Amino acid sequence: MGVLKSVSVDEITSRGSIRSEDVARMRQAYYDDGIIGQSEAEVLIRLNDACPVQDTSWAWFYVEAITDFIVNQAEPEGYVTAANADWLISAITKDGKIQSKTELDLVVHVLDKARWSPERLVRFALEEVRRAVV
């Protein structure tokens, strides 16, 4: 997938912001081939963490791309395995907790799009929603 070849990850990280033109380039590259691998998903997660300033278009692209990786690209397609759920939870949390609304939206979107998800991911999402409300 050329998502990350379409932008300079180092430049984005160093400036600490994801601009609309960055998202537009990543989105175009993503739609050109429709494939996202684990290494690219991990870089997107690192970008999300490293850039406190984010264009509003970033959140939906981020949620869409990571959900596509977890639900449609990782085997078995359409299902979230226990290993993939553990990977997602550890990749987006600090001290076992979600830090942003975008990350919470991601987990909820994964659960919505998957045909099946492990109970651990469902319980994690419910706990994070409870924590966000309280």
Side-chain angles (χ1 to χ4, degrees):
M1 176 184 200
V3 166
L4 299 176
K5 292 179 183 174
S6 65
V7 296
S8 171
V9 173
D10 292 336
E11 178 189 330
I12 294 169
T13 304
S14 68
R15 74 174 179 245
S17 68
I18 302 171
R19 299 176 180 156
S20 63
E21 54 269 15
D22 300 325
V23 177
R25 276 185 280 195
M26 286 187 273
R27 185 177 295 283
Q28 182 59 49
Y30 174 69
Y31 286 123
D32 282 348
D33 71 5
I35 299 169
I36 185 167
Q38 183 171 341
S39 62
E40 288 179 312
E42 290 170 350
V43 171
L44 292 176
I45 291 167
R46 281 196 305 272
L47 272 176
N48 188 64
D49 291 344
C51 299
V53 178
Q54 301 170 350
D55 183 79
T56 56
S57 62
W58 167 254
W60 183 241
F61 171 74
Y62 173 78
V63 168
E64 243 180 10
I66 304 299
T67 298
D68 189 38
F69 166 68
I70 289 286
V71 176
N72 299 317
Q73 306 289 326
E75 292 294 326
E77 185 178 341
Y79 297 83
V80 178
T81 65
N84 289 340
D86 290 343
W87 173 85
L88 178 62
I89 292 167
S90 69
I92 65 169
T93 60
K94 301 204 181 6
D95 298 326
K97 293 181 172 69
I98 286 177
Q99 303 300 312
S100 75
K101 179 184 179 311
T102 303
E103 292 163 342
L104 183 57
D105 289 345
L106 170 59
V107 173
V108 171
H109 197 251
V110 164
L111 291 170
D112 181 52
K113 295 299 178 186
R115 290 185 198 121
W116 182 87
S117 298
E119 184 177 326
R120 172 169 155 58
L121 186 59
V122 175
R123 287 183 187 275
F124 172 76
L126 289 172
E127 177 59 27
E128 290 302 305
V129 167
R130 185 198 65 75
R131 201 171 66 78
V133 170
V134 172

